[in-house]
Amino acid sequence: MEREFMEYDVVIVGAGPAGLAAACRIRQLNEEVSVCVVEKGSEVGAHILSGAVFEPTALNELFPNWKELGAPLHTEVKGDDIYLLQSGEKGQKVPGFFVPKTMHNEGNYIISLGNLCRWLAEQAEALGVEIYPTFAASEVVYHEDGSVKGIATGDAGIAEDGSHKGSYTQGMELHGKYTFFAEGCRGHLGKQLISQFKLDEGKEPQHYGIGIKEIWKIPAEQHQQGLVVHTAGWPLAENGAAGGSFLYHIEDNQVVCGLITDLSYNNPHLSPFDEFQRYKHHPVIKQYLEGGERTSYGARAITKGGIQSQPTMHFPGGLLIGDDAGTLNFAKIKGSHTAMKSGMVAAETVVEALKAERTSDDMVEYEAAYKASWAYKELYAQRNFGPAQHKWGNFIGSAYAFIDINIFNGNLPWTLSDPKPDHAQLTPASEAKQITYPKPDGKLSFDKLSSVFLSNTNHEEDQPIHLKLADASIPLGSNLAMFDEPAQRYCPAGVYEIVVEESGDKRFQINSQNCVHCKTCDIKDPAQNITWVTPEGAGGPNYPNM
Ligand SMILES: Cc1cc2nc3c(=O)[nH]c(=O)nc-3n(C[C@H](O)[C@H](O)[C@H](O)COP(=O)(O)OP(=O)(O)OC[C@H]3O[C@@H](n4cnc5c(N)ncnc54)[C@H](O)[C@@H]3O)c2cc1C
Ligand code: SF4
């Protein structure tokens, strides 16, 4: 049966900072251009998870009067502390002079990126953009000549066994003269497009981290609005892994804290979730959280390969923008401003293409326009930060970054390489150090299930599992023997379990209803056997202010 379709000049997948900035800019430049945005969350912002210390550079360009328009940037950064944690007890504040200048946050704001996206969506709608939350783009639709024609939203009302339920509704196609893919880190359709158009040819593999975050309401006397605290070292360093933590004092006596674990870690016994739980017991962190109440939990992967790993962003009929194309600046641990800028440049490019009455061709000129932007220039200057951290670890890697960025302004005449993909990094479980994590105390640390509860995750129960195994025998057949099936530990929502039946037989169980859409399994599975696909629209977390 042919699907119904609607036609637009530009279709945008994903209402994050990249997609919404692109949508707003298009309509600012030409209000005749029709623009539609689809978003898989139950509302705009429901699936957005970030730190976030926000650099307002792109927003200043997009809406110079954002203060008058009421943008939710309420907390200016007032202090910037960086600690090197040597152990579970000891921590040393790093003198400001030694901190790479990319980690200084004067002029930035501590925000909820979800709330900023909600506000951007209001601005976009006021400019005439059509936004459809609860619509997950599940398929790319192609013209006969192979160029992208648009997307199809998923069917709803399909039972787990594939039969149609009473509520069945067929998905529809949204056709665009051009389609922008702005799905964020490890976009499901972006991944297909990269493979289809070989957009990663000649590039380094993309690298990732998994960020696990909580929001806390803390006693007023422990709160210092505007204080930003970052740490490196313990607990990850103790288990040979890299990454770092953030703790930001936002308004209303709230603190947001999280740990980003580089997904290049080697030890299959490592659990990013448990590392984060024990991190909160460090005296540097505990001093802020003690006596407080955890109100929200979530997780999301982060792209961190930098320009060496950025795929070609243009292809016939569309563009990849934002973290779908890896525009995050890892040296700053910030990607919202660069994602927005990549979307704004995309908007300027498409408006010119439409003015010339072009359609569905390859906007090759986007590459030069993006490379001329400040977003690319800052990524270029800080291109060696991530590979240096991987090559030499947090400590020496940061010393290198200090010299490269603070002293030479990123002008050193070489580009470091990081050629091994994250999924190929695990050592066999039998050769790796066993890790025993402390039991959660229910005050500062918690278990996975009570955590997922706070993410308000909800999926229609009777639907096909959206975590597809290419080969169902791999989890027990090879992953368990070789790596003690690491999915049990890297998934921050307890989706993957090895269940031992009464008979003693083992079964690989996928609790897909708990999935918070972080995409870590799609990235880290050593056999690259798991593919995350879109579940029925609106499924997933419902973050209020992540
Ligand atoms: C733990 C953590 C901390 C961070 N801290 C900071 C920080 O302090 N400062 C900073 O600037 N950046 C930070 N970042 C990075 C920043 O959040 C990202 O760079 C930024 O959100 C990227 O924007 P985006 O629009 O490309 O993608 P996203 O923000 O990921 O938005 C993508 C949107 O597309 C939707 N979507 C995805 N697939 C589909 C589909 N198929 N159909 C329909 N909708 C879809 C998603 O639901 C989502 O709403 C952090 C990230 C993490 C994970
Ligand atoms: S199943 Fe995959 S995408 Fe979902 S929460 Fe677990 S690791 Fe993340």
Side-chain angles (χ1 to χ4, degrees), residues 266-511:
N266 310 125
N267 188 333
H269 303 299
L270 187 122
S271 158
F273 174 87
D274 292 293
E275 295 289 338
F276 174 52
Q277 294 308 317
R278 68 186 185 129
Y279 142 87
K280 288 178 284 172
H281 287 268
H282 195 285
V284 167
I285 303 305
K286 188 165 74 173
Q287 62 174 324
Y288 299 117
L289 302 181
E290 238 168 4
E293 186 198 352
R294 186 176 71 142
T295 58
S296 203
Y297 169 87
R300 181 79 173 94
I302 183 166
T303 40
K304 47 187 274 303
I307 52 157
Q308 292 92 316
S309 309
Q310 255 180 30
T312 301
M313 293 160 82
H314 56 87
F315 48 84
L319 296 175
L320 276 183
I321 55 173
D323 279 357
D324 225 354
T327 55
L328 180 129
N329 182 349
F330 186 53
K332 289 184 173 174
I333 333 170
K334 290 185 188 68
S336 315
H337 64 305
T338 43
M340 287 178 72
K341 183 65 182 174
S342 73
M344 288 154 67
V345 176
E348 285 148 21
T349 306
V350 82
V351 165
E352 284 304 311
L354 291 168
K355 199 157 99 190
E357 299 194 346
R358 289 162 54 189
T359 177
S360 302
D361 62 351
D362 192 347
M363 293 188 285
V364 288
E365 66 276 22
Y366 178 71
E367 184 159 334
Y370 171 64
K371 284 192 170 161
S373 73
W374 54 255
Y376 179 84
K377 287 181 185 148
E378 72 166 65
L379 281 161
Y380 181 80
Q382 287 139 35
R383 69 197 177 285
N384 287 329
F385 181 88
Q389 300 281 324
H390 276 194
K391 243 184 179 39
W392 299 306
N394 274 155
F395 191 64
I396 299 176
S398 298
Y400 171 87
F402 174 81
I403 295 166
D404 190 335
I405 296 171
N406 283 32
I407 299 178
F408 289 96
N409 280 325
N411 289 324
L412 287 173
W414 56 75
T415 296
L416 297 175
S417 164
D418 195 357
K420 197 166 171 185
D422 296 341
H423 67 83
Q425 294 279 3
L426 291 178
T427 50
S430 57
E431 293 166 22
K433 183 180 99 173
Q434 279 292 342
I435 307 175
T436 310
Y437 289 105
K439 284 216 159 14
D441 70 354
K443 292 183 187 127
L444 288 174
S445 46
F446 305 92
D447 64 13
K448 276 189 189 169
L449 284 188
S450 63
S451 301
V452 176
F453 179 76
L454 289 182
S455 67
N456 300 314
T457 296
N458 188 33
H459 288 95
E460 168 63 41
E461 292 267 325
D462 185 15
Q463 65 168 305
I465 289 183
H466 70 280
L467 301 147
K468 306 285 181 201
L469 301 182
D471 178 346
S473 72
I474 283 182
L476 294 181
S478 56
N479 274 0
L480 184 62
M482 188 80 147
F483 302 113
D484 192 21
E485 184 42 277
Q488 301 176 84
R489 290 169 296 281
Y490 62 60
C491 172
V495 168
Y496 300 104
E497 281 183 281
I498 305 282
V499 178
V500 184
E501 310 276 16
E502 270 179 29
S503 61
D505 290 347
K506 290 181 176 154
R507 183 164 54 81
F508 186 62
Q509 181 164 304
I510 304 182
N511 306 309

Side-chain angles (χ1 to χ4, degrees), residues 14 17-18 39-40 47 50-53 113 137 183-184 323 333-336:
E39 166 54 50
K40 67 180 164 65
H47 288 184
S50 191
V53 171
L113 189 63
E183 302 160 287
D323 279 357
I333 333 170
K334 290 185 188 68
S336 315

Side-chain angles (χ1 to χ4, degrees), residues 467 491-493 495-496 515-521 532:
L467 301 147
C491 172
V495 168
Y496 300 104
C515 173
V516 294
H517 297 197
C518 75
K519 312 277 180 83
T520 303
C521 50
W532 186 100

Side-chain angles (χ1 to χ4, degrees), residues 108-350:
N108 294 338
Y109 291 80
I110 304 173
I111 63 160
S112 151
L113 189 63
N115 285 345
L116 180 66
C117 288
R118 289 180 178 100
W119 178 85
L120 279 172
E122 282 168 21
Q123 309 313 307
E125 282 178 331
L127 286 161
V129 175
E130 291 177 32
I131 303 182
Y132 297 109
T134 77
F135 282 83
S138 65
E139 241 180 89
V140 181
V141 180
Y142 295 94
H143 288 287
E144 273 179 13
D145 67 0
S147 61
V148 169
K149 188 178 188 182
I151 55 96
T153 63
D155 295 348
I158 298 186
E160 191 172 350
D161 63 6
S163 61
H164 291 184
K165 298 187 282 189
S167 55
Y168 175 76
T169 17
Q170 197 185 27
M172 67 181 305
E173 294 186 8
L174 299 173
H175 298 166
K177 289 179 181 151
Y178 295 97
T179 306
F180 293 175
F181 293 83
E183 302 160 287
C185 174
R186 195 70 166 193
H188 149 60
L189 301 179
K191 184 176 152 186
Q192 291 174 24
L193 290 163
I194 289 170
S195 155
Q196 168 81 10
F197 293 108
K198 300 189 173 54
L199 303 175
D200 56 353
E201 218 164 55
K203 316 281 178 179
E204 299 252 308
Q206 185 55 270
H207 294 284
Y208 302 90
I210 164 73
I212 302 181
K213 175 180 168 185
E214 292 176 350
I215 304 181
W216 283 67
K217 188 101 177 165
I218 63 165
E221 59 277 14
Q222 285 158 220
H223 191 255
Q224 298 176 41
Q225 188 156 330
L227 177 64
V228 162
V229 181
H230 286 115
T231 74
W234 188 89
L236 293 169
E238 196 171 85
N239 290 320
S245 84
F246 57 92
L247 185 146
Y248 307 148
H249 292 245
I250 196 167
E251 58 269 6
D252 297 333
N253 291 331
Q254 292 181 100
V255 155
V256 298
C257 66
L259 181 70
I260 297 178
T261 303
D262 281 9
L263 284 175
S264 59
Y265 67 81
N266 310 125
N267 188 333
H269 303 299
L270 187 122
S271 158
F273 174 87
D274 292 293
E275 295 289 338
F276 174 52
Q277 294 308 317
R278 68 186 185 129
Y279 142 87
K280 288 178 284 172
H281 287 268
H282 195 285
V284 167
I285 303 305
K286 188 165 74 173
Q287 62 174 324
Y288 299 117
L289 302 181
E290 238 168 4
E293 186 198 352
R294 186 176 71 142
T295 58
S296 203
Y297 169 87
R300 181 79 173 94
I302 183 166
T303 40
K304 47 187 274 303
I307 52 157
Q308 292 92 316
S309 309
Q310 255 180 30
T312 301
M313 293 160 82
H314 56 87
F315 48 84
L319 296 175
L320 276 183
I321 55 173
D323 279 357
D324 225 354
T327 55
L328 180 129
N329 182 349
F330 186 53
K332 289 184 173 174
I333 333 170
K334 290 185 188 68
S336 315
H337 64 305
T338 43
M340 287 178 72
K341 183 65 182 174
S342 73
M344 288 154 67
V345 176
E348 285 148 21
T349 306
V350 82

